[in-house]
Amino acid sequence: MKVRQVKLREIHKSANNTGRPSFCSVVWDQQGFHSVTASSSDPSIAVHNALIASCPPKLLRNHRDGVTAIAMSPNATCLASGSIDHSVKLYKFPGGDFETNITRFTLPIRALAFNKSGTLLAAAGDDDGIKLINTVDGTISKVLKAHKGPVTGLGFDPQSEYMASIDSTGTVIYWELQSGSTLHTLKGVAPNSGLDLSVMNVLSWSPDGRMLAVPGVRNDVVVYDKDTAEKLFSLRGEHTQPICALAWSPNGKYLATSGLDKQVLIWDVDRKQDIGRHKFDERITCLAWKPIDNVLAVIDCMGRYGVWEAVIPSSMKSPTEDVPNQSNNGLLLFDEDEEEGQEISTSGSLSDLGEDSHEESKPPSRKRLSKQSDYLKDLGEDDIDDFGLSPKVESHKKARRNHSESTDNGNEGLRSKLSSSRPKMQEAFQPGATPVQPGKRRFLCYNMLGAITTIEYDGYSHIEIDFHDTSRGPRVPSMSDHFGFTMASLNENGSVFANPCKGEKNMSTLMYRPFSSWANNSEWSMRLEGEEVKVVALGTTWVAAITNLNLLRIFTIGGLQRHVLSLDGPVVTASGFKDELAIVTHASDCLPSNEQVLEFRVLNINNSSQPLRGRLPLSPGSNLTWFGFSEEGKLSSYDSKGVLRVFTSEYGGSWLPLFSSSKEKKSDENYWVVGLNARQLFCIVCKSPDLYPQVLPKPVLTLLNFSIPLASSDLGAEALENAFILNDMHLLQIQRQIEEMDAAGLDTSSLDDEAFKIETAQDQCILRLIGSCCHGDKLVRATELVKHLSLEKSVRGAIKIVTSLKLPNLAERFNSILEERLLNDSKERLQTTVPNSNCNTSSSTEKIKLSGNDIPLPAPKLSAPTFLKKAKTQEGNVGIEKTQEKHTPMVDDVEKPKKTEAETAAATEVNNMKVGETPKAQQSHRPSNPFLKRSNCQDIEKKEVDQVKPHRPSNPFLKKSVK
């Protein structure tokens, strides 16, 4: 067996230079761009750039003592660390900015783990309990207690149904997350690590969630079943001492183990034998496979870190090939039977199935494939009938009989039957509210800010208002409700309540309650006789109530009745955001296909205007279940089929489907939407048949990434195409924000930086798509993609990619595209220098230029601040080279068989997306912006040197996306 050499370099040193062994950790981010290391003898955390090996690691120094545990959220946006100083901290990633101290223990921390969605963080250590912490609001969801010793290892299964934990005495416990109870306890199955804190028992779930790997007591690895906790098999080979670290490959085919004998073995799990081995100078305490490559990161007990490349021989299956798709949430039994049942039902009339038929049918049980035969044997006739095959056929025959009998009836009976079977229009609902549950507390409002809950007692109700972030909102005392409020809305300034009609006068009450005011008794209420409030909404300076008389009543927050408007149809729901009020109403009766016909309109209350109005799209046969604004103010809707749509001004105003729950959720789950931001959907997962969450126990928010319903790509790159569309949409939104702020004379530097980051991320995505196209022989598509690159260095990076893949014709096309853009840019710069030659004619020239189509829009200025910063830092080193490079033919650069050291460094910089520096030659000839108001030529020259914000002619690659 060939022994591979792995070089380790010292990253973490002992705080007191004792030279004692310590427990060190390493993790990767989701894309493999960064790795993070830590040591129990060093209070700092090191973030390594995997793309630039020579780049020194970034150190995070927030702990006061050694870091004993680190964990990365699945979406790689949050890093958690635990320490001997008893604290657990959260950081933004990859920036490394400290975010919060999410919890503290009374003893040192030993283990951390995120669940699949990143909304739960499990933390444990020398204390006797495991804390499950809600990362959204920092609250402790549960505390699990059953271990008799320090907990040293934690792991959520990929479906986040179970959690496994292991302690220093070798006991493994399976936990059921929903109830927090123990399912299985395996005592003494792992070695007893004793008091040696540099050796900790660990465990790891397989990527498909079927198996749990645990170090055995015979210098082996024992693999247990997920559902039964039974031993499946063990891996025993060349280890002469107990195993102290293990890690599954991304596809679950291989397992890496490290032992106290200073060896690392690579196992083929299917063949149950080791296929690779490496001997180190010191004990390896942690292993981590790179998610996207055949690479294994290792760190030893002395804080030395290294990367083992080409772990699996090229003749064998790659560890990143056929990676399980965790969004499937496990395997479903009887999928084929369900599809057959659906085919049978579609052959008959849809009206044959009553509304209650779906509620009466039982959801399919989730079982392992290895147990299908046993499960089928246990099924009786009643169980088979539960799947609804026979009843559907029977009901179809019965319906035909009833139809033949009804033909003998008169016209009056026929009309009554048709009227009773007519689809009903959707009732009005309050976003974020749950139905009345006798004797239980329910939500009047639940949004991204907080929640309003109520419970009914004898003759009155008790209302409480809680904020998710207690530092963001004030502490609001609870109140007694004698009106019987059934709907509410909440924002930063106050809350509004309303109830249905009550009493002899058939009267509805509307009440507004501010959280703070300079005046006493600022709370107010209005009574509507013979009129019932259906929906309420709140804005910055207004309160809105929509009634059963199709009236929109608008009040100021002081209680002044400001407007009363008539709506075109019955209200369905409404939502407020700052100055805007969005309303959904019925445009007409339901269609014969049982589809709702809804219309939306957006009103600007302060301007008394209506910016938007149109039809609200829904999935066929669905109802609207949530409606509101994103955190950025984008109008959004979610229907009962699980499709999230966001309104965009593209194509004259359209709704984009950004998420579909059919690809994400399990068959026994329902998503209850809370809100969304630019990247993720916030919801609460409810187990079927529940459609709404309960107030107690406190629900846990789940974050779901947007996933556009794309067609299956012939390249298998749906994830990259999804990211490409989302980045483009996000960038367009920021560009418009910059234009609006620039027109108002506001500072846009923060948005400029954010836009540049998105440009960089988009170019990374495009380069990976180009690589996929080249491997899939889709060269025309690759040429189309290169035209979407925003930055010059990204185009040069694409040229180097296709050159390395030996595609000279494609490289020549890419060079032509680059030369054409640079030529057009130079022409535009020459044109923009004409107004600067004569200040007296600048205003007239300015008007002429503004009317032309060849003048770039303000969008290319997005990256200017970042370009300038990077250009200044490298001006002295590369300025001369870049000036000369401007006059060098680009084809020659690609076809050079040998590269200088400078060119190699530039190629590395391009591939790592460290883009953004403007060539010095271009900086020296940067023209002033002819569109700014100015009084004399001196002001123009000053702005030409100091102000890069208005125009960035050095980046010609955004023009096609803007025009």
Side-chain angles (χ1 to χ4, degrees):
M1 184 180 297
K2 184 178 178 180
V3 178
R4 312 175 193 277
Q5 296 297 324
V6 181
K7 295 183 180 180
L8 304 182
R9 56 193 178 103
E10 188 176 38
I11 299 298
H12 300 279
K13 296 182 180 180
S14 177
N16 50 11
N17 294 322
T18 59
R20 297 177 182 176
S22 57
F23 182 79
C24 302
S25 310
V26 58
V27 295
W28 286 97
D29 65 8
Q30 186 182 25
Q31 297 177 326
F33 293 159
H34 301 86
S35 61
V36 184
T37 59
S39 170
S40 60
S41 61
D42 185 0
S44 63
I45 301 171
V47 180
H48 307 266
N49 190 330
L51 303 177
I52 305 178
S54 60
C55 180
K58 181 178 181 179
L59 299 181
L60 311 179
R61 297 185 177 93
N62 295 93
H63 285 287
R64 292 181 285 110
D65 212 331
V67 180
T68 52
I70 53 177
M72 183 75 67
S73 64
N75 59 3
T77 60
C78 182
L79 175 69
S81 65
S83 169
I84 300 176
D85 63 12
H86 311 170
S87 68
V88 177
K89 302 180 185 294
L90 294 184
Y91 310 83
K92 294 181 179 178
F93 199 82
D97 299 330
F98 173 74
E99 191 167 356
T100 184
N101 285 309
I102 197 164
T103 192
R104 288 189 64 84
F105 283 67
T106 57
L107 293 174
I109 314 298
R110 300 297 175 190
L112 295 172
F114 280 98
N115 69 343
K116 175 185 175 181
S117 62
T119 56
L120 272 186
L121 174 66
D126 295 348
D127 287 25
D128 60 350
I130 304 171
K131 290 184 181 180
L132 298 183
I133 307 162
N134 189 331
T135 58
V136 178
D137 55 15
T139 58
I140 297 177
S141 177
K142 292 182 180 67
V143 178
L144 312 178
K145 294 185 178 182
H147 283 283
K148 303 299 181 182
V151 178
T152 57
L154 296 169
F156 289 92
D157 82 283
Q159 283 75 39
S160 292
E161 292 178 337
Y162 307 137
M163 186 184 71
S165 59
I166 187 172
D167 60 27
S168 60
T169 65
T171 298
V172 176
I173 297 179
Y174 281 50
W175 303 87
E176 202 277 319
L177 291 177
Q178 190 71 19
S179 62
S181 59
T182 60
L183 294 176
H184 308 284
T185 301
L186 309 176
K187 294 185 178 180
V189 297
N192 190 329
S193 59
L195 300 177
D196 187 358
L197 299 179
S198 66
V199 180
M200 288 199 276
N201 282 329
V202 294
L203 45 74
S204 180
W205 290 96
S206 62
D208 60 6
R210 297 183 181 182
M211 299 177 288
L212 178 69
V214 179
V217 295
R218 298 181 179 180
N219 307 334
D220 59 350
V221 177
V222 183
V223 179
Y224 297 92
D225 182 78
K226 169 188 173 181
D227 297 315
T228 64
E230 297 176 353
K231 178 180 176 180
L232 299 177
F233 58 87
S234 63
L235 303 175
R236 189 172 183 181
E238 301 294 330
H239 280 300
T240 59
Q241 295 187 46
I243 291 172
C244 59
L246 49 85
W248 292 88
S249 65
N251 61 0
K253 181 173 176 56
Y254 306 103
L255 184 69
T257 60
S258 171
L260 300 181
D261 55 5
K262 304 178 183 178
Q263 287 190 102
V264 173
L265 299 185
I266 307 299
W267 301 84
D268 186 321
V269 178
D270 295 334
R271 296 161 56 189
K272 299 179 179 57
Q273 66 180 23
D274 60 320
I275 58 174
R277 181 170 65 251
H278 194 284
K279 181 77 173 180
F280 290 87
D281 295 333
E282 297 291 344
R283 179 178 73 252
I284 300 298
T285 61
C286 192
L287 309 158
W289 290 85
K290 191 173 183 179
I292 60 171
D293 206 351
N294 184 14
V295 172
L296 182 69
V298 299
I299 188 168
D300 66 15
C301 60
M302 304 308 295
R304 292 183 297 183
Y305 163 76
V307 174
W308 182 353
E309 297 182 349
V311 182
I312 306 300
S314 58
S315 59
M316 301 183 67
K317 188 175 183 178
S318 170
T320 60
E321 186 179 350
D322 296 333
V323 175
N325 185 5
Q326 297 180 1
S327 64
N328 290 338
N329 296 328
L331 301 170
L332 294 178
L333 189 63
F334 298 118
D335 284 345
E336 297 179 357
D337 295 281
E338 288 178 351
E339 292 174 2
E340 292 174 2
Q342 292 174 0
E343 291 176 1
I344 294 173
S345 66
T346 55
S347 65
S349 173
L350 291 176
S351 62
D352 295 341
L353 298 177
E355 295 179 357
D356 298 333
S357 62
H358 297 287
E359 297 179 1
E360 295 174 358
S361 63
K362 296 181 180 179
S365 302
R366 302 184 65 255
K367 295 291 182 181
R368 294 280 307 279
L369 283 182
S370 60
K371 302 176 184 178
Q372 282 190 17
S373 58
D374 296 336
Y375 189 89
L376 289 172
K377 292 178 182 178
D378 296 335
L379 283 177
E381 294 180 358
D382 295 337
D383 297 316
I384 296 175
D385 290 341
D386 285 337
F387 290 94
L389 299 183
S390 300
K392 290 178 182 177
V393 178
E394 183 179 353
S395 63
H396 178 55
K397 294 178 180 179
K398 184 183 295 185
R400 293 183 61 185
R401 251 192 337 264
N402 292 339
H403 177 69
S404 62
E405 293 174 1
S406 65
T407 55
D408 298 333
N409 297 334
N411 294 333
E412 184 177 355
L414 181 60
R415 284 195 300 269
S416 62
K417 183 175 180 179
L418 291 175
S419 62
S420 62
S421 62
R422 179 181 298 172
K424 294 182 179 180
M425 297 169 60
Q426 181 178 355
E427 296 290 336
F429 70 93
Q430 185 72 32
T434 56
V436 177
Q437 299 176 337
K440 291 185 178 181
R441 184 173 289 275
R442 73 180 188 97
F443 290 109
L444 292 179
C445 175
Y446 194 109
N447 57 23
M448 299 287 284
L449 182 64
I452 302 178
T453 60
T454 182
I455 185 170
E456 185 177 353
Y457 295 104
D458 294 334
Y460 73 98
S461 298
H462 183 75
I463 293 179
E464 293 182 355
I465 301 177
D466 297 306
F467 292 92
H468 302 316
D469 185 356
T470 55
S471 62
R472 183 177 176 184
R475 182 175 293 275
V476 182
S478 59
M479 71 175 190
S480 297
D481 167 29
H482 296 278
F483 295 98
F485 294 129
T486 58
M487 66 197 81
S489 185
L490 173 71
N491 66 6
E492 297 86 348
N493 303 322
S495 56
V496 61
F497 303 87
N499 66 348
C501 291
K502 287 187 174 183
E504 297 179 356
K505 295 183 179 181
N506 198 24
M507 188 165 50
S508 182
T509 302
L510 176 73
M511 186 180 79
Y512 176 71
R513 190 182 186 193
F515 295 143
S516 61
S517 176
W518 59 270
N520 294 327
N521 196 22
S522 54
E523 177 182 310
W524 55 266
S525 62
M526 299 285 173
R527 296 183 178 182
L528 307 175
E529 294 186 8
E531 187 176 359
E532 183 174 82
V533 178
K534 290 293 185 179
V535 181
V536 293
L538 266 181
T540 305
T541 59
W542 51 267
V543 176
I546 306 173
T547 70
N548 62 335
L549 301 183
N550 300 343
L551 293 180
L552 167 62
R553 297 182 177 272
I554 300 174
F555 307 83
T556 65
I557 57 174
L560 177 64
Q561 302 191 51
R562 194 76 175 87
H563 301 286
V564 180
L565 306 176
S566 290
L567 301 178
D568 295 341
V571 65
V572 178
T573 190
S575 180
F577 179 79
K578 296 183 178 179
D579 296 336
E580 293 184 335
L581 169 64
I583 307 170
V584 178
T585 58
H586 287 283
S588 68
D589 290 336
C590 296
L591 299 178
S593 58
N594 198 24
E595 293 184 27
Q596 304 288 330
V597 183
L598 305 182
E599 184 182 56
F600 77 95
R601 62 167 67 181
V602 177
L603 307 178
N604 190 302
I605 304 302
N606 287 353
N607 298 336
S608 300
S609 61
Q610 181 177 277
L612 297 173
R613 182 170 182 172
R615 289 292 177 88
L616 182 69
L618 293 175
S619 301
S622 67
N623 291 334
L624 184 65
T625 58
W626 182 86
F627 184 77
F629 292 88
S630 69
E631 288 188 338
E632 296 77 20
K634 303 288 287 185
L635 194 61
S636 312
S637 69
Y638 188 84
D639 61 33
S640 57
K641 296 290 186 180
V643 178
L644 173 72
R645 296 176 177 86
V646 176
F647 185 83
T648 176
S649 57
E650 294 181 358
Y651 299 103
S654 302
W655 290 84
L656 299 182
L658 294 187
F659 177 82
S660 177
S661 64
S662 60
K663 296 184 178 181
E664 298 288 336
K665 71 176 184 178
K666 306 174 187 177
S667 60
D668 60 341
E669 288 182 347
N670 295 304
Y671 291 157
W672 193 72
V673 173
V674 175
L676 67 152
N677 58 19
R679 295 288 184 183
Q680 291 177 314
L681 174 68
F682 292 74
C683 65
I684 297 173
V685 179
C686 304
K687 292 292 183 181
S688 295
D690 293 336
L691 299 176
Y692 308 95
Q694 302 294 326
V695 176
L696 295 174
K698 189 173 183 179
V700 177
L701 280 180
T702 300
L703 279 65
L704 302 173
N705 293 325
F706 291 156
S707 178
I708 299 174
L710 299 175
S712 298
S713 173
D714 51 3
L715 296 176
E718 290 87 356
L720 290 176
E721 293 175 342
N722 180 73
F724 171 72
I725 298 176
L726 291 177
N727 285 335
D728 191 55
M729 184 184 69
H730 195 194
L731 184 60
L732 181 63
Q733 179 182 347
I734 293 180
Q735 288 174 356
R736 286 176 178 156
Q737 291 178 1
I738 291 177
E739 292 175 0
E740 293 174 359
M741 294 180 65
D742 201 16
L746 302 176
D747 182 27
T748 63
S749 56
S750 60
L751 287 178
D752 289 339
D753 294 339
E754 184 179 357
F756 179 74
K757 292 178 181 178
I758 299 175
E759 288 178 19
T760 305
Q762 180 73 320
D763 282 7
Q764 288 178 350
C765 179
I766 293 174
L767 288 176
R768 293 176 67 184
L769 277 171
I770 291 174
S772 299
C773 290
C774 293
H775 287 295
D777 198 26
K778 305 297 181 184
L779 305 187
V780 175
R781 197 178 307 174
T783 307
E784 294 172 345
L785 283 167
V786 78
K787 296 178 181 179
H788 288 277
L789 289 170
S790 301
L791 304 170
E792 177 183 344
K793 278 205 166 182
S794 302
V795 182
R796 298 188 185 278
I799 296 173
K800 294 182 184 295
I801 289 174
V802 298
T803 303
S804 63
L805 295 176
K806 299 180 180 180
L807 298 171
N809 293 334
L810 192 60
E812 186 175 354
R813 286 185 176 274
F814 285 7
N815 265 304
S816 301
I817 294 172
L818 178 60
E819 289 176 349
E820 181 182 355
R821 289 190 174 182
L822 292 176
L823 181 62
N824 293 336
D825 180 54
S826 62
K827 290 180 180 179
E828 290 176 359
R829 284 190 282 112
L830 289 175
Q831 293 175 0
T832 54
T833 56
V834 176
N836 295 334
S837 61
N838 189 354
C839 292
N840 296 330
T841 61
S842 62
S843 60
S844 61
T845 307
E846 186 175 324
K847 295 179 181 178
I848 298 173
K849 290 287 182 180
L850 280 173
S851 62
N853 294 329
D854 57 342
I855 297 300
L857 293 174
K861 72 184 179 181
L862 293 177
S863 310
T866 312
F867 266 51
L868 184 62
K869 292 175 186 175
K870 296 193 176 183
K872 286 182 178 179
T873 57
Q874 301 181 5
E875 189 178 41
N877 298 329
V878 301
I880 298 175
E881 294 179 9
K882 288 184 178 293
T883 306
Q884 296 174 353
E885 185 179 324
K886 179 180 177 182
H887 305 285
T888 304
M890 287 134 202
V891 178
D892 295 338
D893 292 340
V894 176
E895 296 179 351
K896 283 183 180 179
K898 297 181 180 179
K899 297 182 180 179
T900 62
E901 294 181 1
E903 290 172 331
T904 305
T908 304
E909 193 171 3
V910 171
N911 291 332
N912 294 323
M913 293 305 299
K914 296 295 183 181
V915 296
E917 51 264 29
T918 304
K920 189 174 180 180
Q922 294 182 8
Q923 288 186 27
S924 60
H925 295 87
R926 183 188 294 265
S928 62
N929 191 340
F931 309 128
L932 292 178
K933 296 180 180 180
R934 48 196 176 264
S935 59
N936 51 53
C937 292
Q938 294 180 354
D939 293 338
I940 298 172
E941 295 174 355
K942 184 176 180 181
K943 291 181 180 180
E944 179 180 343
V945 176
D946 296 334
Q947 187 173 353
V948 291
K949 181 177 169 185
H951 182 58
R952 194 184 74 203
S954 61
N955 183 6
F957 308 112
L958 279 178
K959 291 167 186 169
K960 293 195 174 184
S961 63
V962 174
K963 287 183 179 181

